[in-house]
């Protein structure tokens, strides 16, 4: 059976604050800025850090005339796009200490693409669950939120890919789990996830596997704030967290007594648009232009996610296959 839990606030500024609050002390190797230090082979930050990177990798981006010509005429005339942005935790997205400035992988790629296309981005911070429906209704032009490309989402949403991330697990250090490679390893445990994510969908779609294996089912604890899933882990209300690979890797560097349990599956991640959008070709050309001029790699290095690079941007590619049962 599934247990659904949610936090009482819709304010996404709480997300990263919750990670660093309530006794989630930084590890002893803290110091310096995370993104400018070399990343390990996995693409994870090389060491625990407190400060978010501030390197400017966007302002020097030159206009990509070939990509800009692919924009619809009305967008070129308007000169701007509305962006719905979900803010969760680094390295995907976070707030600077001012509580207003959004930074992260998503923000840098969105800003760099807009610069290449000669457009102004009008950003609005929106809850993760609300973005895809809002795109479908035409309220926003584009959305970011580390959205993994899935077959279910492709029915209603178009994507332009810019990184590869996916699903990973973490637990307290005293957990007997060493790695999670099969969901039946979670049987009898409480798993914390964010609402409306591929994590929630994956766990709910596979809940019957514990019964098939003659084991107790796992519980799925669903939270609206990313920080709350880590708090539930630290407080013992959850046994395991399922999160993005990059997000889990980063979070365990910022907390004591937490360990990364490895990657479960990879997914392409992309800008999200209303189905049938005419914006996709221009965004694809802009992302590939960033790869050609070196901006793409600079963004990955800044956030310590070099393992998430993709060879080329694609428009709504098929969902990457899930691990075999």
């Amino acid at each position: 059976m599934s247990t659904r839990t949610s936090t009482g606030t819709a304010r996404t500024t709480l997300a990263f604050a919750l990670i660093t609050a309530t006794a989630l002390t930084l590890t002893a190797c803290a110091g310096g800025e995370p993104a400018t230090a070399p990343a390990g082979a996995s693409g994870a930050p090389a060491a625990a850090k407190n400060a978010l990177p501030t390197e400017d990798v966007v302002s020097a981006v030159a206009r990509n005339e070939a990509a800009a010509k692919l924009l619809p005429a009305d967008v070129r005339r308007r000169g701007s796009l509305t962006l719905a942005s979900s803010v969760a935790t680094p390295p995907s997205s976070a707030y600077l200490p001012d509580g207003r400035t959004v930074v992260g992988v998503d923000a840098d790629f969105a800003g760099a693409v807009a610069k290449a296309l000669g457009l102004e981005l009008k950003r609005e911070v929106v809850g993760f669950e609300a973005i895809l429906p809002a795109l479908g209704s035409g309220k926003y032009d584009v959305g970011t939120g580390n959205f993994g490309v899935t077959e279910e989402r492709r029915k209603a949403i178009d994507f332009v890919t810019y990184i590869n991330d996916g699903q990973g697990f973490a637990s307290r250090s005293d957990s007997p789990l060493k790695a999670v490679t099969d969901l039946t390893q979670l049987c009898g445990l409480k798993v914390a996830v964010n609402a409306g994510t591929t994590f929630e969908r994956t766990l709910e779609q596979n809940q019957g596997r514990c019964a098939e294996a003659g084991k107790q089912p796992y519980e799925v604890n669903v939270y609206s704030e990313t920080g709350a899933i880590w708090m539930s882990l630290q407080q013992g209300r959850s046994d395991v967290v399922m999160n993005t690979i990059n997000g889990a890797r980063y979070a365990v560097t910022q907390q004591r007594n937490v360990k990364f349990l490895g990657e479960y599956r990879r997914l392409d991640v992309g800008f999200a648009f209303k189905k049938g959008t005419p914006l996709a070709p221009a965004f694809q050309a802009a992302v590939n232009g960033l790869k050609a001029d070196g901006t793409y790699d600079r963004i990955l290095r800044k956030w310590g996610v070099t393992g998430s690079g993709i060879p080329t941007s694609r428009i709504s590619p098929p969902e990457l296959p899930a691990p075999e049962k």
Side-chain angles (χ1 to χ4, degrees):
M1 61 184 293
S2 171
T3 300
R4 294 183 62 88
T5 310
S6 63
T7 56
T9 176
R11 179 69 173 161
T12 53
T13 52
L14 181 61
F16 184 64
L18 282 170
I19 286 184
T20 54
T22 62
L24 305 191
T25 310
L26 293 176
T27 53
C29 52
E33 292 187 351
T36 53
S42 65
K49 310 291 190 277
N50 190 13
L52 293 169
T54 57
E55 177 191 0
D56 181 0
V57 292
V58 173
S59 62
V61 173
R63 181 182 173 94
N64 184 329
E65 295 295 344
K69 288 179 180 178
L70 298 175
L71 288 168
D74 63 322
V75 174
R76 290 201 302 272
R77 287 193 298 269
R78 188 168 73 236
S80 64
L81 289 175
T82 55
L83 169 69
S85 174
S86 170
V87 180
T89 58
S92 175
S93 57
Y95 286 99
L96 288 181
D98 63 13
R100 298 185 304 274
T101 305
V102 179
V103 297
V105 175
D106 291 345
D108 277 346
F109 274 115
V113 166
K115 194 85 166 20
L117 296 176
L119 297 174
E120 175 191 1
L121 276 185
K122 298 181 177 180
R123 175 184 283 108
E124 182 175 335
V125 174
V126 182
F128 180 89
E129 296 173 86
I131 292 179
L132 298 186
L135 292 172
S137 71
K139 184 175 182 180
Y140 304 102
D141 296 308
V142 58
T144 58
N146 204 280
F147 288 111
V149 180
T150 67
E151 295 306 314
E152 181 179 354
R153 287 173 174 170
R154 290 203 313 154
K155 295 174 183 177
I157 297 293
D158 282 340
F159 293 93
V160 173
T161 60
Y162 56 95
I163 61 167
N164 176 278
D165 195 348
Q167 303 174 342
F169 290 95
S171 70
R172 292 184 300 278
S173 297
D174 60 2
S175 170
L177 288 171
K178 303 298 183 185
V180 175
T181 57
D182 188 295
L183 295 181
T184 58
Q185 293 173 267
L186 303 175
C187 296
L189 302 179
K190 298 176 181 179
V191 187
V193 299
N194 286 116
T197 59
T198 62
F199 321 123
E200 182 183 12
R201 185 195 69 165
T202 295
L203 292 173
E204 292 186 345
Q205 287 180 340
N206 288 276
Q207 276 189 315
R209 294 184 57 198
C210 290
E212 293 171 0
K215 300 180 179 181
Q216 290 293 316
Y218 51 72
E219 293 185 2
V220 184
N221 294 334
V222 184
Y223 296 90
S224 62
E225 296 289 351
T226 300
I229 68 176
W230 297 103
M231 184 177 288
S232 77
L233 182 70
Q234 291 282 357
Q235 294 178 345
R237 290 179 285 112
S238 298
D239 303 300
V240 177
V241 162
M242 189 178 188
N243 199 245
T244 64
I245 294 168
N246 290 334
R249 280 198 174 112
Y250 181 89
V252 301
T253 69
Q254 303 302 301
Q255 304 179 40
R256 293 191 184 277
N257 304 319
V258 179
K259 63 182 179 181
F260 182 58
L261 297 177
E263 301 180 9
Y264 176 66
R265 68 173 299 193
R266 283 274 174 176
L267 288 170
D268 289 319
V269 171
F271 295 104
F273 305 86
K274 181 178 180 178
K275 192 71 177 176
T277 179
L279 295 170
F283 268 68
Q284 180 190 32
V287 173
N288 286 329
L290 297 176
K291 287 188 67 67
D293 69 17
T295 301
Y296 185 92
D297 289 338
R298 284 192 287 274
I299 293 174
L300 296 187
R301 287 195 300 270
K302 172 182 175 179
W303 293 102
V305 293
T306 54
S308 283
I310 57 175
T312 187
S313 175
R314 296 193 292 169
I315 297 174
S316 296
E319 178 179 351
L320 295 177
E324 294 185 5
K325 294 183 180 180

